């Protein structure tokens, strides 16, 4: 299966893992408009399925359950995994990639993290080519996920956009977030661009809005077609 062209913007079936988490709850209704069927999954309670949804709870560490999740799925937005780190972010992410390979899924949008490069200084503007310098075990596990994505692209042709996302909240809460903020609308734009760009291979990019202060430079990922439209600047005085 191949991802639809940007002229179509619609999938037959998408899988959203981590759908009960903070960003999963934001993206769940927004992704539903992009597909005929949205399969949502989490280890936590997901509520009843809305029209056009398929609710399928699964533990990412359960290989059989994850393989079942991937059946008949065109593309995945993989937000699932946090704690325990080894089970969710290491074993779970491997299960998602291996399940996608077996099912013939062609693209994954992987929720990496800016914590992959968290030990660089704030006066350094980083590109996606910056070598990982994780600032904790969580960032270390996301660096593993990016390496896994590269391996599955090189060996099997499974495409991934790894999103080193910043701080996605209704508004920036502090000075740091003036640089790292990603609005919910820009989050949707970012994920949709990552799903629908014609060719991505394995692309790493940072997730942030069009903020006046920026620690990250996404120019090498312009082929994905993400164009942020919001900015943290109106919140500067409050932050």
């Amino acid at each position: 299966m191949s991802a639809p062209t940007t002229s179509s913007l619609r999938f037959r079936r998408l899988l959203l893992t981590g759908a009960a988490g903070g960003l999963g709850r934001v993206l769940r209704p927004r992704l539903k408009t992009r597909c005929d069927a949205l399969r949502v999954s989490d280890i936590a309670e997901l509520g009843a399925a809305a029209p056009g949804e398929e609710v399928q709870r699964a533990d990412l560490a359960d290989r059989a359950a994850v393989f079942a999740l991937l059946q008949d799925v065109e593309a995945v937005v993989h937000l699932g995994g946090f704690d325990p780190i080894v089970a969710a972010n290491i074993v779970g992410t491997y299960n998602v990639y291996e399940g996608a390979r077996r099912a013939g899924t062609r693209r994954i949008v992987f929720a990496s993290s800016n914590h992959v490069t968290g030990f660089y200084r704030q006066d350094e503007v980083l590109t996606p080519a910056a070598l990982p310098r994780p600032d904790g075990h969580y960032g270390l596990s996301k660096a593993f996920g990016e390496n896994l994505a590269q391996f599955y692209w090189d060996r099997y042709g499974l495409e991934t956009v790894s999103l080193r996302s910043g701080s996605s909240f209704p508004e920036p809460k502090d000075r740091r977030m003036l640089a790292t903020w990603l609005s919910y609308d820009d989050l949707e734009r970012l994920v949709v661009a990552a799903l629908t760009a014609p060719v991505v291979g394995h692309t790493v990019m940072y997730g942030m809005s069009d903020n006046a202060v920026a620690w990250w430079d996404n120019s090498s990922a312009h082929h994905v077609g993400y164009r942020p439209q919001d900015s943290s600047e109106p919140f500067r005085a409050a932050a």
Side-chain angles (χ1 to χ4, degrees):
M1 298 178 186
S2 59
T5 63
T6 51
S7 60
S8 132
L9 294 180
R10 192 164 187 86
F11 293 80
R12 290 186 295 277
R13 179 175 282 103
L14 286 175
L15 169 63
L16 173 64
T17 69
L23 297 187
R25 291 193 299 270
V26 171
L27 287 175
R28 182 173 173 175
R30 295 171 185 241
L31 289 179
K32 177 59 195 72
T33 66
R34 305 288 180 174
C35 57
D36 297 329
L38 177 66
R39 183 172 293 166
V40 295
S41 182
D42 205 301
I43 196 171
E45 177 59 44
L46 289 159
E53 284 188 344
E54 302 167 352
V55 173
Q56 201 165 328
R57 292 179 70 179
D59 184 340
L60 292 177
D62 183 337
R63 179 177 297 188
V66 173
F67 283 10
L69 273 182
L70 270 297
Q71 293 304 306
D72 301 317
V73 167
E74 275 189 280
V76 181
V77 179
H78 179 42
L79 306 183
F82 183 77
D83 190 59
I85 286 175
V86 172
N89 290 2
I90 304 297
V91 177
T93 301
Y94 166 75
N95 287 341
V96 168
Y97 271 87
E98 183 60 14
R101 180 188 73 82
R102 293 175 180 232
T105 303
R106 299 309 304 161
R107 186 171 297 183
I108 294 176
V109 178
F110 170 56
S112 185
S113 171
N114 68 92
H115 293 285
V116 169
T117 51
F119 261 128
Y120 285 93
R121 299 191 313 272
Q122 291 184 5
D123 62 350
E124 298 177 90
V125 177
L126 305 180
T127 72
L131 293 176
R133 291 181 64 180
D135 57 11
H137 291 99
Y138 174 74
L140 190 64
S141 73
K142 292 299 186 178
F144 167 82
E146 291 185 9
N147 283 333
L148 193 71
Q150 186 66 51
F151 170 75
Y152 271 80
W153 163 242
D154 290 338
R155 185 157 187 174
Y156 302 115
L158 174 53
E159 290 193 308
T160 295
V161 179
S162 292
L163 304 179
R164 293 177 177 174
S165 295
S167 311
S168 195
F169 294 95
E171 60 185 61
K173 300 178 179 180
D174 53 33
R175 182 185 63 82
R176 180 181 183 277
M177 287 191 193
L178 293 174
T180 65
W181 185 60
L182 175 66
S183 73
Y184 288 161
D185 287 346
D186 278 343
L187 170 66
E188 179 185 3
R189 295 180 186 108
L190 177 61
V191 170
V192 169
L195 284 169
T196 58
V199 179
V200 298
H202 176 220
T203 298
V204 178
M205 58 192 303
Y206 288 92
M208 74 282 195
S209 288
D210 188 21
N211 304 322
V213 176
W215 297 342
W216 308 314
D217 176 5
N218 266 338
S219 56
S220 65
H222 281 173
H223 60 281
V224 174
Y226 169 56
R227 300 294 183 269
Q229 297 181 24
D230 297 326
S231 171
S232 64
E233 201 60 21
F235 304 99
R236 176 171 293 278

